[in-house]
Amino acid sequence: MTDELTLDEAQKAITAGMRAARSIDQPMNIAVVDSGGHLIAHVRMDGAIKASIDISIRKARTSILMNLPTSALAEATQPGAELYGLELTSGGMVTFGGGIPVVRNGFTVGAVGVSAGSVDQDVTVAEAVAAKLAKAPS
């Protein structure tokens, strides 16, 4: 058994995220990346803003590269803080909520990025996707 995320798992998790987005009446962009930050799957729901396509992918990449939820970077990247300017590195990181690493059996195996709503809405949907992916396939 492998701990690598598969396309099938990513698509099923995105479907769970789309249900969560519909439940709050907010169309979203949802991205899933592997442990190297490479895109496995992405969806732009009807009505989700186009700028958030890139943002959702960058949130997922940031989360895997830093091995943290992107929300954990918000305070440390403010002007005067020790990580100020971090968002300018690695091709453009995102330092506000909506990116969540996927941990399975104690290992970070990928990450999720969600964008198009408020930060709280993005986090809510990202948590639904990450929870689905954290369960090892049977």
Side-chain angles (χ1 to χ4, degrees), residues 6-48:
T6 67
L7 175 60
D8 185 57
E9 291 175 296
Q11 290 173 326
K12 288 177 182 173
I14 285 174
T15 298
M18 290 170 53
R19 277 193 300 273
R22 286 185 189 108
S23 76
I24 59 172
D25 198 30
Q26 178 60 54
M28 296 286 193
N29 288 279
I30 304 169
V32 176
V33 299
D34 65 16
S35 61
H38 306 287
L39 187 64
I40 298 172
H42 180 273
V43 67
R44 178 180 160 262
M45 295 174 67
D46 294 341

PDB file of all heavy atoms in Angstrom, residues 6-48:
ATOM      1  N   THR A   6      -3.707   9.573  -4.998  1.00  0.00           N
ATOM      2  CA  THR A   6      -4.024   9.192  -6.369  1.00  0.00           C
ATOM      3  C   THR A   6      -5.018  10.176  -6.975  1.00  0.00           C
ATOM      4  O   THR A   6      -5.694  10.924  -6.253  1.00  0.00           O
ATOM      5  CB  THR A   6      -4.640   7.781  -6.419  1.00  0.00           C
ATOM      6  OG1 THR A   6      -5.928   7.827  -5.772  1.00  0.00           O
ATOM      7  CG2 THR A   6      -3.741   6.745  -5.751  1.00  0.00           C
ATOM      8  N   LEU A   7      -5.123  10.137  -8.285  1.00  0.00           N
ATOM      9  CA  LEU A   7      -6.095  10.971  -8.974  1.00  0.00           C
ATOM     10  C   LEU A   7      -7.505  10.641  -8.510  1.00  0.00           C
ATOM     11  O   LEU A   7      -8.307  11.545  -8.254  1.00  0.00           O
ATOM     12  CB  LEU A   7      -5.972  10.800 -10.484  1.00  0.00           C
ATOM     13  CG  LEU A   7      -7.015  11.537 -11.330  1.00  0.00           C
ATOM     14  CD1 LEU A   7      -6.962  13.039 -11.098  1.00  0.00           C
ATOM     15  CD2 LEU A   7      -6.821  11.205 -12.804  1.00  0.00           C
ATOM     16  N   ASP A   8      -7.807   9.358  -8.370  1.00  0.00           N
ATOM     17  CA  ASP A   8      -9.138   8.951  -7.934  1.00  0.00           C
ATOM     18  C   ASP A   8      -9.461   9.534  -6.552  1.00  0.00           C
ATOM     19  O   ASP A   8     -10.554  10.070  -6.334  1.00  0.00           O
ATOM     20  CB  ASP A   8      -9.236   7.416  -7.915  1.00  0.00           C
ATOM     21  CG  ASP A   8     -10.634   6.934  -7.583  1.00  0.00           C
ATOM     22  OD1 ASP A   8     -11.589   7.314  -8.295  1.00  0.00           O
ATOM     23  OD2 ASP A   8     -10.771   6.163  -6.605  1.00  0.00           O
ATOM     24  N   GLU A   9      -8.517   9.448  -5.632  1.00  0.00           N
ATOM     25  CA  GLU A   9      -8.729  10.019  -4.296  1.00  0.00           C
ATOM     26  C   GLU A   9      -8.912  11.526  -4.361  1.00  0.00           C
ATOM     27  O   GLU A   9      -9.784  12.092  -3.687  1.00  0.00           O
ATOM     28  CB  GLU A   9      -7.528   9.730  -3.398  1.00  0.00           C
ATOM     29  CG  GLU A   9      -7.345   8.300  -3.004  1.00  0.00           C
ATOM     30  CD  GLU A   9      -6.065   8.124  -2.229  1.00  0.00           C
ATOM     31  OE1 GLU A   9      -4.974   8.341  -2.781  1.00  0.00           O
ATOM     32  OE2 GLU A   9      -6.180   7.774  -1.042  1.00  0.00           O
ATOM     33  N   ALA A  10      -8.087  12.184  -5.171  1.00  0.00           N
ATOM     34  CA  ALA A  10      -8.168  13.639  -5.292  1.00  0.00           C
ATOM     35  C   ALA A  10      -9.530  14.055  -5.842  1.00  0.00           C
ATOM     36  O   ALA A  10     -10.146  15.001  -5.341  1.00  0.00           O
ATOM     37  CB  ALA A  10      -7.045  14.155  -6.189  1.00  0.00           C
ATOM     38  N   GLN A  11     -10.012  13.331  -6.846  1.00  0.00           N
ATOM     39  CA  GLN A  11     -11.309  13.672  -7.425  1.00  0.00           C
ATOM     40  C   GLN A  11     -12.441  13.455  -6.428  1.00  0.00           C
ATOM     41  O   GLN A  11     -13.353  14.280  -6.338  1.00  0.00           O
ATOM     42  CB  GLN A  11     -11.538  12.865  -8.697  1.00  0.00           C
ATOM     43  CG  GLN A  11     -10.636  13.313  -9.833  1.00  0.00           C
ATOM     44  CD  GLN A  11     -10.722  12.424 -11.057  1.00  0.00           C
ATOM     45  OE1 GLN A  11     -10.907  11.210 -10.957  1.00  0.00           O
ATOM     46  NE2 GLN A  11     -10.576  13.022 -12.223  1.00  0.00           N
ATOM     47  N   LYS A  12     -12.390  12.377  -5.664  1.00  0.00           N
ATOM     48  CA  LYS A  12     -13.422  12.129  -4.653  1.00  0.00           C
ATOM     49  C   LYS A  12     -13.371  13.195  -3.561  1.00  0.00           C
ATOM     50  O   LYS A  12     -14.415  13.648  -3.072  1.00  0.00           O
ATOM     51  CB  LYS A  12     -13.250  10.737  -4.044  1.00  0.00           C
ATOM     52  CG  LYS A  12     -13.649   9.629  -5.000  1.00  0.00           C
ATOM     53  CD  LYS A  12     -13.392   8.261  -4.407  1.00  0.00           C
ATOM     54  CE  LYS A  12     -13.764   7.172  -5.424  1.00  0.00           C
ATOM     55  NZ  LYS A  12     -13.387   5.840  -4.957  1.00  0.00           N
ATOM     56  N   ALA A  13     -12.182  13.610  -3.170  1.00  0.00           N
ATOM     57  CA  ALA A  13     -12.048  14.640  -2.145  1.00  0.00           C
ATOM     58  C   ALA A  13     -12.541  15.988  -2.663  1.00  0.00           C
ATOM     59  O   ALA A  13     -13.187  16.745  -1.933  1.00  0.00           O
ATOM     60  CB  ALA A  13     -10.593  14.731  -1.684  1.00  0.00           C
ATOM     61  N   ILE A  14     -12.253  16.286  -3.918  1.00  0.00           N
ATOM     62  CA  ILE A  14     -12.757  17.524  -4.516  1.00  0.00           C
ATOM     63  C   ILE A  14     -14.280  17.511  -4.538  1.00  0.00           C
ATOM     64  O   ILE A  14     -14.922  18.528  -4.259  1.00  0.00           O
ATOM     65  CB  ILE A  14     -12.142  17.740  -5.912  1.00  0.00           C
ATOM     66  CG1 ILE A  14     -10.697  18.210  -5.771  1.00  0.00           C
ATOM     67  CG2 ILE A  14     -12.969  18.747  -6.723  1.00  0.00           C
ATOM     68  CD1 ILE A  14      -9.930  18.321  -7.073  1.00  0.00           C
ATOM     69  N   THR A  15     -14.868  16.365  -4.821  1.00  0.00           N
ATOM     70  CA  THR A  15     -16.329  16.255  -4.787  1.00  0.00           C
ATOM     71  C   THR A  15     -16.855  16.579  -3.390  1.00  0.00           C
ATOM     72  O   THR A  15     -17.858  17.287  -3.237  1.00  0.00           O
ATOM     73  CB  THR A  15     -16.779  14.854  -5.238  1.00  0.00           C
ATOM     74  OG1 THR A  15     -16.352  14.671  -6.598  1.00  0.00           O
ATOM     75  CG2 THR A  15     -18.278  14.684  -5.148  1.00  0.00           C
ATOM     76  N   ALA A  16     -16.172  16.087  -2.356  1.00  0.00           N
ATOM     77  CA  ALA A  16     -16.563  16.411  -0.973  1.00  0.00           C
ATOM     78  C   ALA A  16     -16.435  17.911  -0.723  1.00  0.00           C
ATOM     79  O   ALA A  16     -17.282  18.525  -0.067  1.00  0.00           O
ATOM     80  CB  ALA A  16     -15.710  15.625   0.015  1.00  0.00           C
ATOM     81  N   GLY A  17     -15.380  18.518  -1.268  1.00  0.00           N
ATOM     82  CA  GLY A  17     -15.199  19.956  -1.134  1.00  0.00           C
ATOM     83  C   GLY A  17     -16.281  20.743  -1.855  1.00  0.00           C
ATOM     84  O   GLY A  17     -16.758  21.765  -1.353  1.00  0.00           O
ATOM     85  N   MET A  18     -16.688  20.260  -3.016  1.00  0.00           N
ATOM     86  CA  MET A  18     -17.764  20.926  -3.756  1.00  0.00           C
ATOM     87  C   MET A  18     -19.082  20.864  -2.973  1.00  0.00           C
ATOM     88  O   MET A  18     -19.824  21.848  -2.942  1.00  0.00           O
ATOM     89  CB  MET A  18     -17.910  20.292  -5.136  1.00  0.00           C
ATOM     90  CG  MET A  18     -16.736  20.607  -6.045  1.00  0.00           C
ATOM     91  SD  MET A  18     -16.684  19.672  -7.602  1.00  0.00           S
ATOM     92  CE  MET A  18     -18.287  19.982  -8.274  1.00  0.00           C
ATOM     93  N   ARG A  19     -19.332  19.740  -2.307  1.00  0.00           N
ATOM     94  CA  ARG A  19     -20.536  19.649  -1.459  1.00  0.00           C
ATOM     95  C   ARG A  19     -20.465  20.673  -0.328  1.00  0.00           C
ATOM     96  O   ARG A  19     -21.451  21.348  -0.020  1.00  0.00           O
ATOM     97  CB  ARG A  19     -20.680  18.235  -0.884  1.00  0.00           C
ATOM     98  CG  ARG A  19     -21.338  17.246  -1.812  1.00  0.00           C
ATOM     99  CD  ARG A  19     -21.745  15.969  -1.107  1.00  0.00           C
ATOM    100  NE  ARG A  19     -20.623  15.256  -0.498  1.00  0.00           N
ATOM    101  CZ  ARG A  19     -19.855  14.377  -1.126  1.00  0.00           C
ATOM    102  NH1 ARG A  19     -20.068  14.084  -2.388  1.00  0.00           N
ATOM    103  NH2 ARG A  19     -18.870  13.780  -0.503  1.00  0.00           N
ATOM    104  N   ALA A  20     -19.290  20.779   0.287  1.00  0.00           N
ATOM    105  CA  ALA A  20     -19.123  21.746   1.378  1.00  0.00           C
ATOM    106  C   ALA A  20     -19.305  23.175   0.861  1.00  0.00           C
ATOM    107  O   ALA A  20     -19.933  24.008   1.521  1.00  0.00           O
ATOM    108  CB  ALA A  20     -17.747  21.579   2.022  1.00  0.00           C
ATOM    109  N   ALA A  21     -18.780  23.464  -0.328  1.00  0.00           N
ATOM    110  CA  ALA A  21     -18.922  24.800  -0.914  1.00  0.00           C
ATOM    111  C   ALA A  21     -20.388  25.102  -1.221  1.00  0.00           C
ATOM    112  O   ALA A  21     -20.864  26.221  -0.984  1.00  0.00           O
ATOM    113  CB  ALA A  21     -18.074  24.906  -2.178  1.00  0.00           C
ATOM    114  N   ARG A  22     -21.099  24.116  -1.744  1.00  0.00           N
ATOM    115  CA  ARG A  22     -22.524  24.322  -2.033  1.00  0.00           C
ATOM    116  C   ARG A  22     -23.315  24.550  -0.748  1.00  0.00           C
ATOM    117  O   ARG A  22     -24.275  25.323  -0.739  1.00  0.00           O
ATOM    118  CB  ARG A  22     -23.081  23.126  -2.798  1.00  0.00           C
ATOM    119  CG  ARG A  22     -22.634  23.093  -4.248  1.00  0.00           C
ATOM    120  CD  ARG A  22     -23.300  21.956  -5.030  1.00  0.00           C
ATOM    121  NE  ARG A  22     -22.696  21.827  -6.331  1.00  0.00           N
ATOM    122  CZ  ARG A  22     -21.895  20.838  -6.715  1.00  0.00           C
ATOM    123  NH1 ARG A  22     -21.627  19.839  -5.896  1.00  0.00           N
ATOM    124  NH2 ARG A  22     -21.386  20.820  -7.920  1.00  0.00           N
ATOM    125  N   SER A  23     -22.915  23.879   0.333  1.00  0.00           N
ATOM    126  CA  SER A  23     -23.648  24.019   1.595  1.00  0.00           C
ATOM    127  C   SER A  23     -23.529  25.433   2.168  1.00  0.00           C
ATOM    128  O   SER A  23     -24.376  25.852   2.953  1.00  0.00           O
ATOM    129  CB  SER A  23     -23.186  22.979   2.618  1.00  0.00           C
ATOM    130  OG  SER A  23     -21.930  23.342   3.177  1.00  0.00           O
ATOM    131  N   ILE A  24     -22.485  26.163   1.787  1.00  0.00           N
ATOM    132  CA  ILE A  24     -22.341  27.551   2.230  1.00  0.00           C
ATOM    133  C   ILE A  24     -22.616  28.518   1.079  1.00  0.00           C
ATOM    134  O   ILE A  24     -22.363  29.719   1.200  1.00  0.00           O
ATOM    135  CB  ILE A  24     -20.951  27.816   2.859  1.00  0.00           C
ATOM    136  CG1 ILE A  24     -19.822  27.523   1.861  1.00  0.00           C
ATOM    137  CG2 ILE A  24     -20.782  27.016   4.145  1.00  0.00           C
ATOM    138  CD1 ILE A  24     -18.438  27.932   2.350  1.00  0.00           C
ATOM    139  N   ASP A  25     -23.104  27.988  -0.026  1.00  0.00           N
ATOM    140  CA  ASP A  25     -23.504  28.782  -1.189  1.00  0.00           C
ATOM    141  C   ASP A  25     -22.361  29.655  -1.715  1.00  0.00           C
ATOM    142  O   ASP A  25     -22.546  30.834  -2.008  1.00  0.00           O
ATOM    143  CB  ASP A  25     -24.735  29.643  -0.850  1.00  0.00           C
ATOM    144  CG  ASP A  25     -25.451  30.139  -2.103  1.00  0.00           C
ATOM    145  OD1 ASP A  25     -25.407  29.436  -3.135  1.00  0.00           O
ATOM    146  OD2 ASP A  25     -26.026  31.242  -2.049  1.00  0.00           O
ATOM    147  N   GLN A  26     -21.165  29.032  -1.828  1.00  0.00           N
ATOM    148  CA  GLN A  26     -20.003  29.762  -2.303  1.00  0.00           C
ATOM    149  C   GLN A  26     -19.208  28.894  -3.283  1.00  0.00           C
ATOM    150  O   GLN A  26     -18.537  27.958  -2.864  1.00  0.00           O
ATOM    151  CB  GLN A  26     -19.091  30.168  -1.131  1.00  0.00           C
ATOM    152  CG  GLN A  26     -17.831  30.884  -1.557  1.00  0.00           C
ATOM    153  CD  GLN A  26     -18.104  32.163  -2.319  1.00  0.00           C
ATOM    154  OE1 GLN A  26     -18.824  33.040  -1.836  1.00  0.00           O
ATOM    155  NE2 GLN A  26     -17.551  32.292  -3.514  1.00  0.00           N
ATOM    156  N   PRO A  27     -19.304  29.173  -4.585  1.00  0.00           N
ATOM    157  CA  PRO A  27     -18.512  28.406  -5.539  1.00  0.00           C
ATOM    158  C   PRO A  27     -17.018  28.632  -5.306  1.00  0.00           C
ATOM    159  O   PRO A  27     -16.600  29.749  -4.991  1.00  0.00           O
ATOM    160  CB  PRO A  27     -18.958  28.932  -6.899  1.00  0.00           C
ATOM    161  CG  PRO A  27     -19.634  30.229  -6.639  1.00  0.00           C
ATOM    162  CD  PRO A  27     -20.101  30.220  -5.226  1.00  0.00           C
ATOM    163  N   MET A  28     -16.238  27.568  -5.449  1.00  0.00           N
ATOM    164  CA  MET A  28     -14.818  27.604  -5.103  1.00  0.00           C
ATOM    165  C   MET A  28     -13.945  27.028  -6.203  1.00  0.00           C
ATOM    166  O   MET A  28     -14.392  26.261  -7.049  1.00  0.00           O
ATOM    167  CB  MET A  28     -14.574  26.768  -3.835  1.00  0.00           C
ATOM    168  CG  MET A  28     -15.240  27.275  -2.593  1.00  0.00           C
ATOM    169  SD  MET A  28     -14.376  28.745  -1.984  1.00  0.00           S
ATOM    170  CE  MET A  28     -15.098  28.875  -0.361  1.00  0.00           C
ATOM    171  N   ASN A  29     -12.677  27.369  -6.116  1.00  0.00           N
ATOM    172  CA  ASN A  29     -11.602  26.701  -6.833  1.00  0.00           C
ATOM    173  C   ASN A  29     -10.937  25.795  -5.811  1.00  0.00           C
ATOM    174  O   ASN A  29     -10.609  26.242  -4.703  1.00  0.00           O
ATOM    175  CB  ASN A  29     -10.575  27.715  -7.351  1.00  0.00           C
ATOM    176  CG  ASN A  29     -11.124  28.512  -8.510  1.00  0.00           C
ATOM    177  OD1 ASN A  29     -11.121  28.035  -9.632  1.00  0.00           O
ATOM    178  ND2 ASN A  29     -11.601  29.713  -8.241  1.00  0.00           N
ATOM    179  N   ILE A  30     -10.749  24.531  -6.180  1.00  0.00           N
ATOM    180  CA  ILE A  30     -10.203  23.549  -5.247  1.00  0.00           C
ATOM    181  C   ILE A  30      -9.050  22.831  -5.935  1.00  0.00           C
ATOM    182  O   ILE A  30      -9.226  22.275  -7.025  1.00  0.00           O
ATOM    183  CB  ILE A  30     -11.274  22.528  -4.820  1.00  0.00           C
ATOM    184  CG1 ILE A  30     -12.487  23.235  -4.214  1.00  0.00           C
ATOM    185  CG2 ILE A  30     -10.684  21.503  -3.843  1.00  0.00           C
ATOM    186  CD1 ILE A  30     -13.702  22.336  -4.009  1.00  0.00           C
ATOM    187  N   ALA A  31      -7.881  22.826  -5.297  1.00  0.00           N
ATOM    188  CA  ALA A  31      -6.690  22.181  -5.849  1.00  0.00           C
ATOM    189  C   ALA A  31      -6.153  21.138  -4.877  1.00  0.00           C
ATOM    190  O   ALA A  31      -6.204  21.331  -3.661  1.00  0.00           O
ATOM    191  CB  ALA A  31      -5.604  23.217  -6.113  1.00  0.00           C
ATOM    192  N   VAL A  32      -5.614  20.051  -5.437  1.00  0.00           N
ATOM    193  CA  VAL A  32      -4.938  19.020  -4.651  1.00  0.00           C
ATOM    194  C   VAL A  32      -3.566  18.806  -5.282  1.00  0.00           C
ATOM    195  O   VAL A  32      -3.462  18.599  -6.499  1.00  0.00           O
ATOM    196  CB  VAL A  32      -5.730  17.689  -4.640  1.00  0.00           C
ATOM    197  CG1 VAL A  32      -4.952  16.606  -3.890  1.00  0.00           C
ATOM    198  CG2 VAL A  32      -7.106  17.881  -4.024  1.00  0.00           C
ATOM    199  N   VAL A  33      -2.512  18.877  -4.452  1.00  0.00           N
ATOM    200  CA  VAL A  33      -1.152  18.627  -4.922  1.00  0.00           C
ATOM    201  C   VAL A  33      -0.554  17.432  -4.189  1.00  0.00           C
ATOM    202  O   VAL A  33      -0.989  17.075  -3.092  1.00  0.00           O
ATOM    203  CB  VAL A  33      -0.230  19.861  -4.749  1.00  0.00           C
ATOM    204  CG1 VAL A  33      -0.744  21.045  -5.557  1.00  0.00           C
ATOM    205  CG2 VAL A  33      -0.050  20.233  -3.282  1.00  0.00           C
ATOM    206  N   ASP A  34       0.473  16.835  -4.805  1.00  0.00           N
ATOM    207  CA  ASP A  34       1.161  15.702  -4.179  1.00  0.00           C
ATOM    208  C   ASP A  34       2.235  16.210  -3.217  1.00  0.00           C
ATOM    209  O   ASP A  34       2.373  17.421  -2.995  1.00  0.00           O
ATOM    210  CB  ASP A  34       1.727  14.759  -5.248  1.00  0.00           C
ATOM    211  CG  ASP A  34       2.823  15.377  -6.100  1.00  0.00           C
ATOM    212  OD1 ASP A  34       3.400  16.433  -5.731  1.00  0.00           O
ATOM    213  OD2 ASP A  34       3.129  14.789  -7.155  1.00  0.00           O
ATOM    214  N   SER A  35       3.031  15.307  -2.687  1.00  0.00           N
ATOM    215  CA  SER A  35       4.032  15.670  -1.680  1.00  0.00           C
ATOM    216  C   SER A  35       5.150  16.549  -2.243  1.00  0.00           C
ATOM    217  O   SER A  35       5.882  17.168  -1.482  1.00  0.00           O
ATOM    218  CB  SER A  35       4.632  14.414  -1.041  1.00  0.00           C
ATOM    219  OG  SER A  35       5.269  13.625  -2.029  1.00  0.00           O
ATOM    220  N   GLY A  36       5.285  16.628  -3.553  1.00  0.00           N
ATOM    221  CA  GLY A  36       6.261  17.516  -4.171  1.00  0.00           C
ATOM    222  C   GLY A  36       5.678  18.844  -4.602  1.00  0.00           C
ATOM    223  O   GLY A  36       6.373  19.680  -5.178  1.00  0.00           O
ATOM    224  N   GLY A  37       4.388  19.050  -4.347  1.00  0.00           N
ATOM    225  CA  GLY A  37       3.729  20.289  -4.726  1.00  0.00           C
ATOM    226  C   GLY A  37       3.218  20.304  -6.152  1.00  0.00           C
ATOM    227  O   GLY A  37       2.841  21.350  -6.672  1.00  0.00           O
ATOM    228  N   HIS A  38       3.196  19.129  -6.788  1.00  0.00           N
ATOM    229  CA  HIS A  38       2.724  19.025  -8.170  1.00  0.00           C
ATOM    230  C   HIS A  38       1.221  18.797  -8.196  1.00  0.00           C
ATOM    231  O   HIS A  38       0.694  17.969  -7.445  1.00  0.00           O
ATOM    232  CB  HIS A  38       3.448  17.892  -8.893  1.00  0.00           C
ATOM    233  CG  HIS A  38       4.931  18.029  -8.821  1.00  0.00           C
ATOM    234  ND1 HIS A  38       5.617  18.964  -9.547  1.00  0.00           N
ATOM    235  CD2 HIS A  38       5.843  17.370  -8.071  1.00  0.00           C
ATOM    236  CE1 HIS A  38       6.904  18.869  -9.260  1.00  0.00           C
ATOM    237  NE2 HIS A  38       7.065  17.919  -8.371  1.00  0.00           N
ATOM    238  N   LEU A  39       0.539  19.502  -9.075  1.00  0.00           N
ATOM    239  CA  LEU A  39      -0.910  19.436  -9.165  1.00  0.00           C
ATOM    240  C   LEU A  39      -1.380  18.036  -9.562  1.00  0.00           C
ATOM    241  O   LEU A  39      -0.901  17.469 -10.543  1.00  0.00           O
ATOM    242  CB  LEU A  39      -1.403  20.464 -10.185  1.00  0.00           C
ATOM    243  CG  LEU A  39      -2.906  20.664 -10.297  1.00  0.00           C
ATOM    244  CD1 LEU A  39      -3.480  21.211  -8.994  1.00  0.00           C
ATOM    245  CD2 LEU A  39      -3.214  21.605 -11.459  1.00  0.00           C
ATOM    246  N   ILE A  40      -2.307  17.487  -8.788  1.00  0.00           N
ATOM    247  CA  ILE A  40      -2.958  16.216  -9.123  1.00  0.00           C
ATOM    248  C   ILE A  40      -4.306  16.502  -9.774  1.00  0.00           C
ATOM    249  O   ILE A  40      -4.649  15.924 -10.797  1.00  0.00           O
ATOM    250  CB  ILE A  40      -3.167  15.332  -7.878  1.00  0.00           C
ATOM    251  CG1 ILE A  40      -1.844  14.962  -7.242  1.00  0.00           C
ATOM    252  CG2 ILE A  40      -3.960  14.074  -8.249  1.00  0.00           C
ATOM    253  CD1 ILE A  40      -1.995  14.257  -5.901  1.00  0.00           C
ATOM    254  N   ALA A  41      -5.071  17.406  -9.154  1.00  0.00           N
ATOM    255  CA  ALA A  41      -6.412  17.701  -9.670  1.00  0.00           C
ATOM    256  C   ALA A  41      -6.817  19.104  -9.232  1.00  0.00           C
ATOM    257  O   ALA A  41      -6.374  19.608  -8.188  1.00  0.00           O
ATOM    258  CB  ALA A  41      -7.417  16.679  -9.162  1.00  0.00           C
ATOM    259  N   HIS A  42      -7.681  19.708 -10.045  1.00  0.00           N
ATOM    260  CA  HIS A  42      -8.200  21.037  -9.751  1.00  0.00           C
ATOM    261  C   HIS A  42      -9.592  21.153 -10.355  1.00  0.00           C
ATOM    262  O   HIS A  42      -9.860  20.582 -11.409  1.00  0.00           O
ATOM    263  CB  HIS A  42      -7.302  22.119 -10.359  1.00  0.00           C
ATOM    264  CG  HIS A  42      -7.797  23.506 -10.090  1.00  0.00           C
ATOM    265  ND1 HIS A  42      -8.712  24.144 -10.914  1.00  0.00           N
ATOM    266  CD2 HIS A  42      -7.533  24.364  -9.088  1.00  0.00           C
ATOM    267  CE1 HIS A  42      -8.970  25.337 -10.416  1.00  0.00           C
ATOM    268  NE2 HIS A  42      -8.267  25.498  -9.318  1.00  0.00           N
ATOM    269  N   VAL A  43     -10.447  21.922  -9.690  1.00  0.00           N
ATOM    270  CA  VAL A  43     -11.754  22.227 -10.254  1.00  0.00           C
ATOM    271  C   VAL A  43     -12.080  23.693  -9.987  1.00  0.00           C
ATOM    272  O   VAL A  43     -11.720  24.234  -8.930  1.00  0.00           O
ATOM    273  CB  VAL A  43     -12.865  21.317  -9.680  1.00  0.00           C
ATOM    274  CG1 VAL A  43     -13.113  21.584  -8.213  1.00  0.00           C
ATOM    275  CG2 VAL A  43     -14.136  21.440 -10.473  1.00  0.00           C
ATOM    276  N   ARG A  44     -12.698  24.314 -10.969  1.00  0.00           N
ATOM    277  CA  ARG A  44     -13.272  25.648 -10.777  1.00  0.00           C
ATOM    278  C   ARG A  44     -14.766  25.468 -10.902  1.00  0.00           C
ATOM    279  O   ARG A  44     -15.287  25.193 -11.971  1.00  0.00           O
ATOM    280  CB  ARG A  44     -12.777  26.632 -11.831  1.00  0.00           C
ATOM    281  CG  ARG A  44     -13.409  28.009 -11.684  1.00  0.00           C
ATOM    282  CD  ARG A  44     -12.902  28.981 -12.752  1.00  0.00           C
ATOM    283  NE  ARG A  44     -13.840  30.082 -12.862  1.00  0.00           N
ATOM    284  CZ  ARG A  44     -14.792  30.179 -13.783  1.00  0.00           C
ATOM    285  NH1 ARG A  44     -14.932  29.265 -14.702  1.00  0.00           N
ATOM    286  NH2 ARG A  44     -15.618  31.201 -13.779  1.00  0.00           N
ATOM    287  N   MET A  45     -15.460  25.613  -9.783  1.00  0.00           N
ATOM    288  CA  MET A  45     -16.907  25.479  -9.786  1.00  0.00           C
ATOM    289  C   MET A  45     -17.520  26.620 -10.585  1.00  0.00           C
ATOM    290  O   MET A  45     -16.950  27.719 -10.659  1.00  0.00           O
ATOM    291  CB  MET A  45     -17.441  25.477  -8.349  1.00  0.00           C
ATOM    292  CG  MET A  45     -16.996  24.270  -7.536  1.00  0.00           C
ATOM    293  SD  MET A  45     -17.499  24.354  -5.789  1.00  0.00           S
ATOM    294  CE  MET A  45     -19.282  24.207  -5.956  1.00  0.00           C
ATOM    295  N   ASP A  46     -18.662  26.355 -11.182  1.00  0.00           N
ATOM    296  CA  ASP A  46     -19.373  27.396 -11.916  1.00  0.00           C
ATOM    297  C   ASP A  46     -19.573  28.609 -11.012  1.00  0.00           C
ATOM    298  O   ASP A  46     -20.057  28.478  -9.882  1.00  0.00           O
ATOM    299  CB  ASP A  46     -20.742  26.897 -12.387  1.00  0.00           C
ATOM    300  CG  ASP A  46     -20.651  25.790 -13.420  1.00  0.00           C
ATOM    301  OD1 ASP A  46     -19.572  25.647 -14.043  1.00  0.00           O
ATOM    302  OD2 ASP A  46     -21.656  25.078 -13.610  1.00  0.00           O
ATOM    303  N   GLY A  47     -19.168  29.757 -11.491  1.00  0.00           N
ATOM    304  CA  GLY A  47     -19.336  30.990 -10.735  1.00  0.00           C
ATOM    305  C   GLY A  47     -18.162  31.379  -9.863  1.00  0.00           C
ATOM    306  O   GLY A  47     -18.129  32.500  -9.341  1.00  0.00           O
ATOM    307  N   ALA A  48     -17.190  30.491  -9.671  1.00  0.00           N
ATOM    308  CA  ALA A  48     -16.013  30.843  -8.860  1.00  0.00           C
ATOM    309  C   ALA A  48     -15.152  31.827  -9.640  1.00  0.00           C
ATOM    310  O   ALA A  48     -14.987  31.700 -10.852  1.00  0.00           O
ATOM    311  CB  ALA A  48     -15.211  29.594  -8.515  1.00  0.00           C
TER     312      ALA A  48
END
